[in-house]
Amino acid sequence: MNKYADLLGRILMVLIFVLAGFTKIMHYDATAADMVAHGIPGMLLPVVIATELLGGLAIILGWQTRIAAFLLAGFSIVTALLMHNDPNSQIEGIMLMKNLSIAGGFLVIFANGAGPLSMDRRWGKA
């Protein structure tokens, strides 16, 4: 059962990133404007989309999992601090804690690898 729990856990961890990446593509201009409103250059949006989509898919497949998990942990922390930093908003506080919790999950994946149902394990890199 552990191997299936590892796979399902990886999928659930990154589903939010994969879906967010596609949403950012569909609403590119609005997302860029939101980034600019938070003091982040809109020209970084392609990097954000690539990080969410490619990092998410790497975690699902279990490919270069430790690297992807470490990068997504950092991405989650930076996003929490830059985008969810309004101390007067309860929603933003919850979003900040959500991002930090996700970063913690990625650090667990970084420490333990992808598990048996992964490309890393299949190729002897887990």
Side-chain angles (χ1 to χ4, degrees), residues 1 4 7 16 26 28 33 49 51-52 62 70 72 75 90 102 109 112:
M1 290 306 285
Y4 299 110
L7 176 61
I16 191 170
M26 300 300 293
Y28 193 93
I49 292 169
T51 300
E52 290 179 336
F70 185 77
L72 286 172
F75 176 82
Q90 183 179 12
I102 290 170
I109 293 173
N112 295 297

mmCIF file of all heavy atoms in Angstrom, residues 1 4 7 16 26 28 33 49 51-52 62 70 72 75 90 102 109 112:
data_model
loop_
_atom_site.group_PDB
_atom_site.id
_atom_site.type_symbol
_atom_site.label_atom_id
_atom_site.label_comp_id
_atom_site.label_asym_id
_atom_site.label_seq_id
_atom_site.Cartn_x
_atom_site.Cartn_y
_atom_site.Cartn_z
ATOM 1 N N MET A 1 0.806 -1.200 0.000
ATOM 2 C CA MET A 1 0.000 0.000 0.000
ATOM 3 C C MET A 1 0.854 1.272 0.000
ATOM 4 O O MET A 1 0.416 2.296 -0.512
ATOM 5 C CB MET A 1 -0.923 0.006 1.229
ATOM 6 C CG MET A 1 -2.041 -1.022 1.172
ATOM 7 S SD MET A 1 -3.067 -0.929 -0.306
ATOM 8 C CE MET A 1 -4.026 0.494 0.018
ATOM 9 N N TYR A 4 1.484 2.924 -3.383
ATOM 10 C CA TYR A 4 0.330 3.631 -3.937
ATOM 11 C C TYR A 4 0.075 4.932 -3.175
ATOM 12 O O TYR A 4 -0.324 5.931 -3.763
ATOM 13 C CB TYR A 4 -0.906 2.743 -3.936
ATOM 14 C CG TYR A 4 -0.707 1.501 -4.779
ATOM 15 C CD1 TYR A 4 -0.604 0.255 -4.188
ATOM 16 C CD2 TYR A 4 -0.583 1.598 -6.162
ATOM 17 C CE1 TYR A 4 -0.398 -0.881 -4.964
ATOM 18 C CE2 TYR A 4 -0.376 0.463 -6.945
ATOM 19 C CZ TYR A 4 -0.282 -0.765 -6.329
ATOM 20 O OH TYR A 4 -0.066 -1.882 -7.098
ATOM 21 N N LEU A 7 2.517 7.520 -4.527
ATOM 22 C CA LEU A 7 2.078 8.037 -5.822
ATOM 23 C C LEU A 7 0.883 8.971 -5.662
ATOM 24 O O LEU A 7 0.884 10.087 -6.197
ATOM 25 C CB LEU A 7 1.732 6.886 -6.771
ATOM 26 C CG LEU A 7 1.154 7.295 -8.132
ATOM 27 C CD1 LEU A 7 2.147 8.158 -8.904
ATOM 28 C CD2 LEU A 7 0.780 6.046 -8.929
ATOM 29 N N ILE A 16 -2.681 21.129 -7.442
ATOM 30 C CA ILE A 16 -2.923 22.569 -7.345
ATOM 31 C C ILE A 16 -1.987 23.355 -8.266
ATOM 32 O O ILE A 16 -2.375 24.358 -8.863
ATOM 33 C CB ILE A 16 -2.808 23.048 -5.879
ATOM 34 C CG1 ILE A 16 -3.317 24.482 -5.741
ATOM 35 C CG2 ILE A 16 -1.391 22.907 -5.361
ATOM 36 C CD1 ILE A 16 -3.452 24.937 -4.293
ATOM 37 N N MET A 26 -4.736 30.454 -19.291
ATOM 38 C CA MET A 26 -6.059 30.859 -19.770
ATOM 39 C C MET A 26 -6.379 32.313 -19.404
ATOM 40 O O MET A 26 -7.134 32.972 -20.107
ATOM 41 C CB MET A 26 -7.134 29.935 -19.200
ATOM 42 C CG MET A 26 -6.955 28.468 -19.589
ATOM 43 S SD MET A 26 -6.980 28.190 -21.367
ATOM 44 C CE MET A 26 -8.648 28.581 -21.731
ATOM 45 N N TYR A 28 -3.989 34.846 -18.759
ATOM 46 C CA TYR A 28 -2.616 35.363 -18.748
ATOM 47 C C TYR A 28 -2.563 36.844 -18.350
ATOM 48 O O TYR A 28 -1.817 37.221 -17.443
ATOM 49 C CB TYR A 28 -1.976 35.145 -20.122
ATOM 50 C CG TYR A 28 -0.494 35.351 -20.130
ATOM 51 C CD1 TYR A 28 0.364 34.272 -19.927
ATOM 52 C CD2 TYR A 28 0.065 36.603 -20.322
ATOM 53 C CE1 TYR A 28 1.737 34.443 -19.924
ATOM 54 C CE2 TYR A 28 1.433 36.785 -20.323
ATOM 55 C CZ TYR A 28 2.264 35.706 -20.121
ATOM 56 O OH TYR A 28 3.619 35.885 -20.111
ATOM 57 N N ALA A 33 -1.271 41.087 -14.441
ATOM 58 C CA ALA A 33 -1.668 42.313 -13.745
ATOM 59 C C ALA A 33 -1.657 42.108 -12.229
ATOM 60 O O ALA A 33 -1.232 42.994 -11.478
ATOM 61 C CB ALA A 33 -3.047 42.761 -14.213
ATOM 62 N N ILE A 49 4.596 29.927 -14.761
ATOM 63 C CA ILE A 49 3.804 28.878 -15.416
ATOM 64 C C ILE A 49 4.650 27.626 -15.641
ATOM 65 O O ILE A 49 4.214 26.507 -15.344
ATOM 66 C CB ILE A 49 3.209 29.395 -16.744
ATOM 67 C CG1 ILE A 49 2.154 30.471 -16.471
ATOM 68 C CG2 ILE A 49 2.617 28.240 -17.561
ATOM 69 C CD1 ILE A 49 1.692 31.236 -17.707
ATOM 70 N N THR A 51 7.308 26.687 -14.029
ATOM 71 C CA THR A 51 7.618 26.079 -12.729
ATOM 72 C C THR A 51 6.449 25.235 -12.248
ATOM 73 O O THR A 51 6.628 24.092 -11.809
ATOM 74 C CB THR A 51 7.959 27.158 -11.692
ATOM 75 O OG1 THR A 51 9.096 27.892 -12.149
ATOM 76 C CG2 THR A 51 8.248 26.552 -10.329
ATOM 77 N N GLU A 52 5.253 25.793 -12.337
ATOM 78 C CA GLU A 52 4.076 25.061 -11.860
ATOM 79 C C GLU A 52 3.795 23.825 -12.711
ATOM 80 O O GLU A 52 3.591 22.730 -12.170
ATOM 81 C CB GLU A 52 2.857 25.983 -11.844
ATOM 82 C CG GLU A 52 2.938 27.041 -10.770
ATOM 83 C CD GLU A 52 1.756 27.980 -10.742
ATOM 84 O OE1 GLU A 52 1.080 28.156 -11.780
ATOM 85 O OE2 GLU A 52 1.509 28.543 -9.662
ATOM 86 N N GLY A 62 7.514 11.282 -10.943
ATOM 87 C CA GLY A 62 8.628 10.817 -10.119
ATOM 88 C C GLY A 62 9.943 10.925 -10.874
ATOM 89 O O GLY A 62 10.811 10.075 -10.747
ATOM 90 N N PHE A 70 12.478 20.217 -4.181
ATOM 91 C CA PHE A 70 13.233 21.307 -3.555
ATOM 92 C C PHE A 70 12.887 22.642 -4.210
ATOM 93 O O PHE A 70 12.639 23.646 -3.512
ATOM 94 C CB PHE A 70 14.741 21.025 -3.659
ATOM 95 C CG PHE A 70 15.581 22.024 -2.937
ATOM 96 C CD1 PHE A 70 15.695 21.979 -1.564
ATOM 97 C CD2 PHE A 70 16.255 23.006 -3.642
ATOM 98 C CE1 PHE A 70 16.473 22.912 -0.885
ATOM 99 C CE2 PHE A 70 17.035 23.944 -2.977
ATOM 100 C CZ PHE A 70 17.142 23.898 -1.594
ATOM 101 N N LEU A 72 10.122 23.398 -5.925
ATOM 102 C CA LEU A 72 8.739 23.762 -5.641
ATOM 103 C C LEU A 72 8.547 24.187 -4.183
ATOM 104 O O LEU A 72 7.689 25.030 -3.891
ATOM 105 C CB LEU A 72 7.788 22.631 -6.016
ATOM 106 C CG LEU A 72 7.564 22.457 -7.520
ATOM 107 C CD1 LEU A 72 6.773 21.191 -7.817
ATOM 108 C CD2 LEU A 72 6.859 23.668 -8.102
ATOM 109 N N PHE A 75 9.696 27.736 -4.315
ATOM 110 C CA PHE A 75 8.668 28.488 -5.041
ATOM 111 C C PHE A 75 7.469 28.759 -4.138
ATOM 112 O O PHE A 75 6.928 29.874 -4.110
ATOM 113 C CB PHE A 75 8.248 27.700 -6.285
ATOM 114 C CG PHE A 75 7.138 28.327 -7.071
ATOM 115 C CD1 PHE A 75 7.399 29.348 -7.969
ATOM 116 C CD2 PHE A 75 5.825 27.898 -6.919
ATOM 117 C CE1 PHE A 75 6.369 29.934 -8.711
ATOM 118 C CE2 PHE A 75 4.802 28.469 -7.653
ATOM 119 C CZ PHE A 75 5.073 29.492 -8.541
ATOM 120 N N GLN A 90 -7.663 37.762 6.694
ATOM 121 C CA GLN A 90 -7.672 36.392 7.196
ATOM 122 C C GLN A 90 -7.463 35.397 6.051
ATOM 123 O O GLN A 90 -6.742 34.413 6.209
ATOM 124 C CB GLN A 90 -8.979 36.094 7.917
ATOM 125 C CG GLN A 90 -9.024 34.707 8.528
ATOM 126 C CD GLN A 90 -10.323 34.446 9.269
ATOM 127 O OE1 GLN A 90 -11.289 35.196 9.164
ATOM 128 N NE2 GLN A 90 -10.347 33.368 10.012
ATOM 129 N N ILE A 102 2.420 23.355 2.130
ATOM 130 C CA ILE A 102 2.795 22.663 0.893
ATOM 131 C C ILE A 102 4.316 22.580 0.786
ATOM 132 O O ILE A 102 4.864 21.535 0.411
ATOM 133 C CB ILE A 102 2.174 23.361 -0.334
ATOM 134 C CG1 ILE A 102 0.655 23.151 -0.352
ATOM 135 C CG2 ILE A 102 2.792 22.858 -1.630
ATOM 136 C CD1 ILE A 102 -0.084 23.984 -1.382
ATOM 137 N N ILE A 109 9.127 15.137 0.555
ATOM 138 C CA ILE A 109 9.427 14.429 -0.691
ATOM 139 C C ILE A 109 10.911 14.572 -1.030
ATOM 140 O O ILE A 109 11.555 13.601 -1.434
ATOM 141 C CB ILE A 109 8.539 14.940 -1.848
ATOM 142 C CG1 ILE A 109 7.078 14.567 -1.602
ATOM 143 C CG2 ILE A 109 9.014 14.380 -3.187
ATOM 144 C CD1 ILE A 109 6.105 15.166 -2.608
ATOM 145 N N ASN A 112 12.822 12.133 1.170
ATOM 146 C CA ASN A 112 12.540 10.702 1.023
ATOM 147 C C ASN A 112 12.499 10.195 -0.410
ATOM 148 O O ASN A 112 12.439 8.994 -0.624
ATOM 149 C CB ASN A 112 11.209 10.380 1.711
ATOM 150 C CG ASN A 112 11.289 10.595 3.192
ATOM 151 O OD1 ASN A 112 12.047 9.935 3.872
ATOM 152 N ND2 ASN A 112 10.535 11.554 3.695
#
